[in-house]
Amino acid sequence: MSVISVQNLTKRFGKFEALRGVNLEVKAGEVYGFIGPNGAGKSTTIRVLLGILQATEGKVSVFGLDAWHHAVDIHNRIAYVPGDVNLWPNLTGGEVIDLFTRLRCRENKSYREELIQRFDLDPSKKCRTYSKGNRQKVALVAAFASEADLYILDEPTSGLDPLMEQVFQQCVQEVKDQGKSVLLSSHILQEVERLCDKVSIIRQGEVIESGTMQELRHLTRTSITVRTQHPLSGLAALPGIHDVLAEASGSVMFNVDSELLGQTIAYLGQHGILTLECTPPTLEQLFMRHYE
């Protein structure tokens, strides 16, 4: 059964078409990545799913219910974390978490305390004193403690440090293991690669590619900066090598198809590696490379 079904979704604001024929299907127990650059239409799609915005055209359902007409029933079974969390300034973090979990009548106090410890959150402080990262932690603890059937996460790790991002990823894996579904909107490709079963890439209001991460692996190339003892004269002729650029410092920069990374490193090793830096592609680089 599909937990989320979006068919030919179009959303217009006056003459501006924010979404154009978007299709998504998220099944039970699936972590679905919804990725694209800022302004691509991710948050607009999520607001339609949440019943905050009404679709101009198309059919949008969650748990088999119409997202606009049955928004209250849907919200009883979902947890939502936005990318920029605003909290009541005079409430403490703990009071906000309690408020959100009680709204769903699915409170699990022991798990709530465990999550507060894992996210290293001080729940006794007033929300007005929290940094952006701590506000995100409050929203994440409230979401995962509510034991929802569907988690809609819109740039949820914005403002979190790498250690807390790791805790977040563990929590997503745990709810997936329980058979829950997750829609993860992100512009961080590495985060999506680690967590998601399937991915849709949206750009300028249109879904341009969908599939499993393995099916989309052709989109990724790794950037390498290397300095070697001996010149890399034949590098550009190797399979999977792109955009070779020699720098004045003696380093060479290039991109390599990820499936040929091991073969390329072996070739570099034959020339005596002095320094080596490998960088996974950013989503922006991916779009520039494949879709412009």
Side-chain angles (χ1 to χ4, degrees):
M1 176 187 169
S2 295
V3 175
I4 294 176
S5 177
V6 177
Q7 300 174 15
N8 298 316
L9 169 61
T10 296
K11 177 61 184 175
R12 299 188 191 93
F13 298 96
K15 293 182 178 179
F16 174 66
E17 198 168 46
L19 299 172
R20 189 180 312 111
V22 170
N23 292 286
L24 282 177
E25 186 177 10
V26 181
K27 297 179 180 177
E30 193 169 68
V31 180
Y32 200 105
F34 192 42
I35 62 177
N38 293 329
K42 303 187 299 295
S43 294
T44 302
T45 304
I46 286 173
R47 290 185 183 117
V48 174
L49 287 170
L50 294 170
I52 298 170
L53 296 175
Q54 186 175 16
T56 306
E57 296 173 12
K59 184 178 179 181
V60 180
S61 62
V62 182
F63 305 120
L65 302 173
D66 182 270
W68 178 253
H69 293 105
H70 299 279
V72 174
D73 294 329
I74 290 169
H75 276 259
N76 286 331
R77 298 177 61 188
I78 67 173
Y80 167 59
V81 178
D84 192 7
V85 175
N86 291 307
L87 304 172
W88 294 275
N90 290 323
L91 294 183
T92 66
E95 289 170 337
V96 171
I97 292 167
D98 288 341
L99 173 61
F100 282 132
T101 53
R102 287 171 185 168
L103 281 172
R104 293 184 183 82
C105 302
R106 285 174 155 185
E107 196 172 9
N108 184 336
K109 289 187 177 180
S110 62
Y111 189 48
R112 167 195 182 276
E113 293 304 315
E114 179 188 331
L115 287 168
I116 287 172
Q117 293 293 325
R118 289 168 68 181
F119 278 102
D120 193 24
L121 175 69
D122 183 350
S124 64
K125 289 186 175 180
K126 298 283 188 182
C127 291
R128 65 171 174 266
T129 68
Y130 281 146
S131 64
K132 176 176 173 56
N134 279 324
R135 294 197 303 272
Q136 290 299 128
K137 290 179 186 180
V138 170
L140 288 168
V141 170
F144 288 118
S146 65
E147 297 189 357
D149 296 317
L150 169 65
Y151 297 83
I152 297 179
L153 310 175
D154 188 7
E155 305 284 358
T157 57
S158 175
L160 294 186
D161 61 53
L163 185 61
M164 292 301 106
E165 283 184 26
Q166 191 173 10
V167 174
F168 163 76
Q169 290 169 16
Q170 291 168 355
C171 289
V172 171
Q173 187 61 50
E174 287 164 11
V175 298
K176 178 188 175 182
D177 293 342
Q178 296 166 15
K180 312 294 181 68
S181 303
V182 180
L183 178 65
L184 173 61
S185 164
S186 180
H187 66 274
I188 304 172
L189 187 60
Q190 300 95 301
E191 184 174 79
V192 172
E193 281 183 311
R194 287 194 194 100
L195 294 173
C196 296
D197 303 300
K198 292 184 180 177
V199 176
S200 283
I201 301 175
I202 188 170
R203 188 190 70 160
Q204 295 178 358
E206 289 186 88
V207 172
I208 50 180
E209 289 234 24
S210 293
T212 65
M213 284 309 304
Q214 194 59 42
E215 289 168 344
L216 299 181
R217 192 65 62 188
H218 67 281
L219 297 178
T220 60
R221 288 181 191 160
T222 300
S223 298
I224 291 181
T225 302
V226 64
R227 191 159 60 89
T228 55
Q229 292 175 341
H230 309 294
L232 297 169
S233 54
L235 180 64
L238 293 179
I241 302 296
H242 309 270
D243 309 321
V244 177
L245 177 65
E247 296 185 318
S249 62
S251 297
V252 176
M253 295 179 61
F254 62 94
N255 296 318
V256 57
D257 294 336
S258 295
E259 65 270 19
L260 297 173
L261 184 57
Q263 179 180 320
T264 304
I265 297 297
Y267 170 82
L268 297 176
Q270 295 171 6
H271 292 74
I273 296 174
L274 298 175
T275 61
L276 177 68
E277 181 181 336
C278 297
T279 309
T282 65
L283 195 61
E284 288 74 16
Q285 289 171 332
L286 185 152
F287 284 126
M288 292 283 286
R289 188 176 299 139
H290 294 280
Y291 297 117
E292 282 204 339

